[in-house]
Amino acid sequence: MQWKDTVDTTGNAERFGRDMFNDFDIDDPKFNDNFYDVLDDMVARCPVAHSTVGTGYHLINNYEDVRKAGQDWRTFSSAKGFQPNRGEGIPYLYPEESDPPYHTNWRRALNPFFAPENVNAMEESIRADANDLIDAFIADGKCEFVGQFASELPGRAFFKNLIGVPVEDLPMLLQAMDRHIYGPVAERGEQLGIALAYLGNYLKERSEQPSTGDLIDTIAAGVERDGETCPWEDRVSILTDLTLGGIATTTFVMSGAMLHLATHPEDRLTLAKDPSKIPNAVEEFVRYFPPVVALGRSVTKDVELGGYEFKKDDFVLLNYASASRDPKALDDPQRLDINRDKILHTAFGVGPHRCIGSHLARLELRVVLEELLRRIPDFSVEPGTTQEYETGVLRTMKSLHLVFGDQGDAS
Amino acid sequence: MKIAVDQELCSGHGRCYSLAPGVFSPDDDGFCAEAGTEFVVPEELVKQAQLGVGSCPEGAIREIGT
């Protein structure tokens, strides 16, 4: 294979138990377990990595190359999906799995709901939910932060402020989305189907009521596709994609931030004393704990990038997680520095598919850290516990046991 | 300092107007309202502007003169 000659793989397979440059598998637990080390090795000496899983795919790892590919949607198309080895017949998730001009039509309709001005109006609702969740465990002197807070808060914020779905249905949707992303490849379509069916029913019900012009009504009204109003299924797909992004991603940044603050008392003290430093810390946490590891594109014509000759119909993953740790773009990227003054990253993607919820995510993270640090200024990791992670095209933390006050272990 | 904001490349990350609110502002979609224009940054805002320029993930903001 042509790439074998171009990349120095010395020590890679021995170190990780798998050749991460030539035989990568994003779903392999070895990647999950060696996450940062693999990313840093890729960004140091492997601009383009390769996978032989299924029909095979490639990874673009450096910041500049990820940016080029992300911006060049004509050559690196989203229309064939973001997951490698995507099952036949799985409906596409729009706007994520589409290209301009259809993509643009939807983003124009949806963007205003997610713009800072609209999102900032949700601050007090998010703050109230953060406090409700804290109320439920603060007297215990401890919590399992992912289950009791981080997996709940983004869903509540999204349901209450944007789509109006009952909060009681959050666990069911979270489970379906979780299995769609991290579950066995063969079952992913079925799991997505559960979310599509539920959200489709909800959208149908809402479409039969008078329009209020909110996000749901805007989705139900549809946009133009090839000269006509788009099919109904596309609108259900839009709602499902937004929900996936809204409930299944920010959890990891929140958990990562709390893990960092639990193990770095000096940073915790800095932010507790001066909350005006939280927004900058949030940006650094987003960079360092990327919920979206890598999303795919299909190559539409032969093209050279990162020293590799891509062929038409190749499938590539834009490795956002490694690009955010590229020393060519950012000084000392392996260090988490909440006081960093230039934070360049691709955690929200790059190009026209930039995460539509990025402003909401930043708001959630800021408000959550303000409230947690105000009410629980001192916390640490519960001794004897470890964190569990799960990684595929997304990454998340499955558990984080914290104890409050000085009873914990700061190490 | 004179800068240009590329309309094609701006995708609404919002880093410019968050970090340099005296220089950039959001439009109704959360994109840079100055996209598609060139303008001179007042001397007292140059440092702020540079932070905005350097933090754009798209590289959409360029310094084009003094």
Side-chain angles (χ1 to χ4, degrees), chain A residues 85-91:
Chain A
N85 298 305
R86 196 175 199 286
E88 291 278 326
I90 298 178

Side-chain angles (χ1 to χ4, degrees), chain A residues 63 67 71 73-74 107-108 111-112 114-117 279-280 283 341-346 348-352 354 358-359 362, chain B residues 8-19 26-31 47 50-61:
Chain A
Y63 185 89
R67 180 152 88 181
Q71 291 177 340
W73 56 266
R74 289 178 180 85
R107 288 295 293 246
R108 280 211 186 105
N111 278 338
F114 295 89
E117 193 184 340
N280 200 67
E283 205 64 27
D341 67 353
K342 196 191 91 176
I343 305 174
L344 207 55
H345 66 76
T346 51
F348 291 122
V350 66
R354 185 264 312 166
S358 58
H359 305 293
R362 289 188 181 108
Chain B
E8 184 91 350
L9 291 181
C10 174
S11 63
H13 291 267
R15 295 296 288 151
C16 60
Y17 54 74
S18 300
L19 294 166
D27 69 11
D28 292 344
D29 284 355
F31 285 53
K47 210 176 162 202
Q50 281 167 340
L51 194 57
V53 173
S55 302
C56 176
E58 307 286 351
I61 315 172

Side-chain angles (χ1 to χ4, degrees), chain A residues 2 4 20 31 45 54 99 208 351-354 373 395:
Chain A
Q2 92 182 75
K4 295 265 184 193
M20 296 289 179
F31 177 49
R45 57 186 183 137
D99 292 327
E208 287 159 359
H353 291 275
R354 185 264 312 166
L373 287 165
R395 179 168 168 86

